[in-house]
Amino acid sequence: MKDLSEKKILLIGANGLIGEKVCDALLNLKCNLTLIDILDAKLLNKKIKGLDIIKGEIVKFKKKNLIIPHMGWNTIKIKNTNIVFDQTTDLKDFYFVHSYYFKGVNSKNVTATTKYSNNFPSVVNIGNVYGVQFHPEKSHKEGSKIIKNFIFKS
């Protein structure tokens, strides 16, 4: 996996690969990845073998008074800025549809969090691999900005 992360920059959204930028023209590997794929995670107490890029656990929202799936607009809070997610994306709304969230992800890999009952990592990043819990392609102006940052700045 080290070769892939050194050669490509991946933006992985809730439904899979949003975009990729090939840094080495000789490597032209097309992938369809989800956030579960980039995590080496436990899902419902079962070990799901991902690409082992980011370690964590995937758990289902449980509170009785929550509407599940979490569907609609919600705000992200930037924790660690980088070239794709900077302070201009802080406290902006993005479109979410999900029933599960990440838990136990190393804080250095958490780019942004979102509150839905509790705070959960809504953007994870390690090196040139980015994963988002929301749908940037459905998030209008702010989602377009993230995709543009990814394409033009990374």
Side-chain angles (χ1 to χ4, degrees):
M1 190 58 223
K2 200 171 224 171
D3 289 341
L4 177 64
S5 64
E6 288 173 0
K7 303 282 186 188
K8 292 175 150 292
I9 298 173
L10 303 174
L11 179 65
I12 302 162
N15 276 351
L17 190 65
I18 300 298
E20 62 184 311
K21 181 175 179 180
V22 179
C23 298
D24 179 355
L26 297 175
L27 181 66
N28 191 13
L29 175 65
K30 300 293 182 193
C31 300
N32 184 22
L33 303 172
T34 66
L35 290 175
I36 292 174
D37 294 324
I38 67 170
L39 293 173
D40 182 19
K42 289 181 181 176
L43 175 61
L44 301 175
N45 296 321
K46 294 181 182 176
K47 183 77 169 168
I48 304 293
K49 189 65 180 163
L51 295 175
D52 198 19
I53 298 173
I54 298 175
K55 298 208 182 293
E57 187 176 357
I58 300 168
V59 295
K60 190 169 186 173
F61 288 111
K62 291 183 182 176
K63 288 204 173 181
K64 292 180 183 178
N65 60 346
L66 281 182
I67 297 172
I68 300 172
H70 170 215
M71 186 179 327
W73 296 92
N74 208 334
T75 304
I76 69 168
K77 173 70 178 146
I78 300 296
K79 298 295 183 186
N80 295 308
T81 59
N82 55 48
I83 57 175
V84 176
F85 292 87
D86 56 27
Q87 282 306 116
T88 63
T89 53
D90 191 30
L91 301 176
K92 302 294 185 195
D93 287 340
F94 292 86
Y95 188 75
F96 289 81
V97 179
H98 63 114
S99 299
Y100 296 84
Y101 66 96
F102 304 125
K103 182 178 175 185
V105 176
N106 189 319
S107 62
K108 71 180 181 184
N109 299 126
V110 177
T111 301
T113 60
T114 297
K115 184 164 178 71
Y116 191 67
S117 174
N118 58 313
N119 285 316
F120 64 88
S122 51
V123 181
V124 293
N125 162 248
I126 187 167
N128 53 6
V129 177
Y130 295 84
V132 297
Q133 187 70 49
F134 54 86
H135 292 265
E137 77 284 3
K138 295 180 181 180
S139 296
H140 300 291
K141 184 176 109 178
E142 294 304 325
S144 294
K145 181 178 175 182
I146 296 301
I147 294 169
K148 285 178 188 173
N149 282 353
F150 169 74
I151 292 168
F152 295 115
K153 291 185 177 181
S154 58

